[in-house]
């Protein structure tokens, strides 16, 4: 009935790829995704959905027995914040200047399942995914950009939030927020 969807994307990925060898790019991405996966594994409601190039997609709450939107929204935001710290870690370790955009939306309903027979993939489908993707696409580098629905679920906790204001996304004008 409800899930929190996260998209992360490396800013200026194509020029960065052109600046290094294939081996260096792949080993750096592999290490970064390892850090992301390790951080994700610490949050019990989260599931990695897939990676497509420099795009990392995860969801909170899709396999939870109890639907607790406030729990999976908070864990997804915490994961986004830890991912930014992992990018900073990679930058220090490899003398890089990588940045990511992080976008999160919570909503439902969603449908999940395995599609295909030759190379089956696990997929999640539903309107909340498009809004999460728009949060990432219109995000601010090295900040977590959230929709109003996420804001309403995590407001009042220990996470500091500031209103970004109204932005235009494919679905129309919406008020969004940044994690401070």
């Amino acid at each position: 009935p409800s899930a929190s969807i996260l998209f992360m994307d490396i800013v200026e990925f194509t020029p960065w790829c052109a600046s290094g060898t294939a081996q260096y790019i792949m080993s750096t991405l592999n290490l970064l995704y390892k850090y992301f996966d390790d951080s994700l594994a610490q949050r019990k409601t989260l599931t990695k959905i897939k990676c497509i190039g420099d795009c990392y997609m995860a969801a909170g709450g899709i396999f939870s027995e109890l639907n607790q939107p406030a729990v999976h929204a908070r864990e997804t935001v915490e994961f986004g914040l830890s991912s930014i710290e992992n990018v900073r870690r990679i930058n220090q370790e490899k003398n890089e200047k990588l940045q990511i955009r992080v976008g999160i939306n919570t909503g439902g309903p969603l449908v999940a399942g395995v599609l295909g027979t030759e190379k089956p993939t696990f997929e999640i489908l539903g309107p909340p995914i498009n809004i999460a993707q728009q949060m990432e696409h219109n995000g601010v580098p090295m900040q977590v950009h959230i929709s109003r629905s996420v804001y309403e679920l995590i407001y009042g906790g220990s996470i500091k939030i500031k209103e970004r204001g109204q932005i235009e996304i494919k679905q129309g004008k919406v008020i969004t927020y940044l994690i401070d």
Side-chain angles (χ1 to χ4, degrees), residues 110-136:
L110 292 170
V111 175
V114 177
L115 296 176
T117 56
E118 296 303 313
K119 289 188 177 183
T121 59
F122 178 75
E123 300 288 340
I124 58 175
L125 309 167
I129 297 163
N130 298 331
I131 294 172
Q133 195 167 32
Q134 287 294 301
M135 292 299 104
E136 178 275 313

Side-chain angles (χ1 to χ4, degrees), residues 57-69:
M57 181 185 184
I62 59 173
F63 290 117
S64 299
E65 288 184 30
L66 290 174
N67 187 24
Q68 298 177 300

Side-chain angles (χ1 to χ4, degrees), residues 94-165:
K94 296 204 166 246
N95 195 28
E96 281 290 348
K97 294 179 182 164
L98 294 173
Q99 294 186 312
I100 59 172
R101 286 184 307 270
V102 180
I104 302 171
N105 181 47
T106 299
L110 292 170
V111 175
V114 177
L115 296 176
T117 56
E118 296 303 313
K119 289 188 177 183
T121 59
F122 178 75
E123 300 288 340
I124 58 175
L125 309 167
I129 297 163
N130 298 331
I131 294 172
Q133 195 167 32
Q134 287 294 301
M135 292 299 104
E136 178 275 313
H137 181 73
N138 293 285
V140 176
M142 302 303 277
Q143 293 193 39
V144 177
H145 187 212
I146 62 173
S147 65
R148 175 77 185 189
S149 61
V150 176
Y151 168 81
E152 290 173 355
L153 290 165
I154 67 170
Y155 179 78
S158 60
I159 298 171
K160 294 181 181 168
I161 307 166
K162 64 181 178 183
E163 185 176 314
R164 180 177 184 189

